[in-house]
Amino acid sequence: GAGVSQSPSNKVTEKGKDVELRCDPISGHTALYWYRQSLGQGLEFLIYFQGNSAPDKSGLPSDRFSAERTGGSVSTLTIQRTQQEDSAVYLCASSFTGSGNTIYFGEGSWLTVV
Amino acid sequence: RKEVEQDPGPFNVPEGATVAFNCTYSNSASQSFFWYRQDCRKEPKLLMSVYSSGNEDGRFTAQLNRASQYISLLIRDSKLSDSATYLCVVNKEDTGRRALTFGSGTRLQVQP
């Protein structure tokens, strides 16, 4: 597709279960971001991938969170042993390399932990 | 001090009003600037880039003041459909490190 694609769009999981969220960036985009947004709150940075560089993981809130990006394209965000406070929308974004390039967001994966 | 600061609002204005938002940033090495719009329960979408000389797109005008480290967004003749949260975004290229910083947004409510 033409835009950033995320799946699943909605996920309800039980506390303690693991979840995987997928992001398929725009073709050719080397930069990929994961953000989290709780209802009514601002965007919380999680992790940033840029080409073959080591990812910037400085935003991951705990060691239950991890992400990888295979082949410089698709990324997976994994949350282990989910907690209720993990409930949020997880937004993926991508862009070309370079600070002036527009960042495009996917529609997000809405996670509810019950 | 936050890297990017915005007044959260809400700004409640009548239709047809002119409204302006400011956003300040702390990193003087920042290189590019954007305004994004986010509707309720939707993803952020680019509204406009902000250029050094200032730029206009219809009813929207963006300005950058590097000396004082702020950017602004002016909306003229507000429409009901302008109701949304406006996010200020600052970007600095820095290999391997996250360069993009979002403000927490300013909420605008245009009333009939």
Side-chain angles (χ1 to χ4, degrees):
Chain A
V4 177
S5 177
Q6 291 189 246
S7 61
S9 53
N10 284 284
K11 175 75 176 179
V12 180
T13 190
E14 291 181 352
K15 179 181 170 181
K17 294 280 179 70
D18 297 352
V19 296
E20 281 191 355
L21 307 176
R22 176 188 167 107
C23 173
D24 201 343
I26 292 171
S27 179
H29 281 191
T30 56
L32 187 149
Y33 303 80
W34 281 100
Y35 287 86
R36 175 169 76 171
Q37 189 173 35
S38 301
L39 205 58
Q41 302 299 309
L43 289 165
E44 177 188 1
F45 167 73
L46 297 178
I47 189 168
Y48 165 58
F49 295 91
Q50 172 59 281
N52 295 320
S53 302
D56 177 354
K57 304 179 182 180
S58 60
L60 295 177
S62 77
D63 59 8
R64 296 187 296 105
F65 288 73
S66 62
E68 61 178 23
R69 188 179 185 191
T70 53
S73 181
V74 172
S75 177
T76 302
L77 177 69
T78 301
I79 309 172
Q80 294 178 310
R81 305 181 301 282
T82 51
Q83 304 294 313
Q84 286 186 328
E85 61 263 28
D86 299 335
S87 297
V89 59
Y90 289 80
L91 290 160
C92 177
S94 72
S95 74
F96 287 112
T97 303
S99 63
N101 288 296
T102 302
I103 292 86
Y104 296 90
F105 283 85
E107 294 185 347
S109 290
W110 291 80
L111 175 67
T112 303
V113 181
V114 298
Chain B
R1 182 185 173 186
K2 287 185 181 178
E3 290 185 63
V4 178
E5 292 203 64
Q6 295 184 251
D7 181 342
F11 284 59
N12 295 305
V13 301
E15 269 187 292
T18 296
V19 62
F21 312 133
N22 279 343
C23 164
T24 58
Y25 60 94
S26 60
N27 189 339
S28 59
S30 298
Q31 297 165 315
S32 55
F33 310 87
F34 308 88
W35 283 102
Y36 274 69
R37 171 192 169 127
Q38 186 173 28
D39 292 289
C40 189
R41 300 182 70 84
K42 295 287 189 181
E43 75 276 19
K45 291 185 178 176
L46 178 70
L47 177 66
M48 59 197 302
S49 302
V50 186
Y51 302 124
S52 297
S53 54
N55 49 300
E56 189 173 309
D57 182 1
R59 299 181 292 110
F60 299 84
T61 300
Q63 300 255 332
L64 167 63
N65 185 320
R66 285 191 185 271
S68 300
Q69 294 182 205
Y70 76 84
I71 66 173
S72 63
L73 178 67
L74 181 79
I75 306 174
R76 290 181 297 278
D77 188 22
S78 301
K79 312 291 185 192
L80 293 175
S81 57
D82 294 334
S83 298
T85 297
Y86 290 84
L87 302 170
C88 166
V89 183
V90 174
N91 203 3
K92 183 183 94 63
E93 188 66 22
D94 190 359
T95 303
R97 290 190 54 79
R98 186 243 327 186
L100 191 64
T101 306
F102 281 81
S104 53
T106 298
R107 194 154 65 89
L108 171 66
Q109 185 66 48
V110 181
Q111 295 163 337

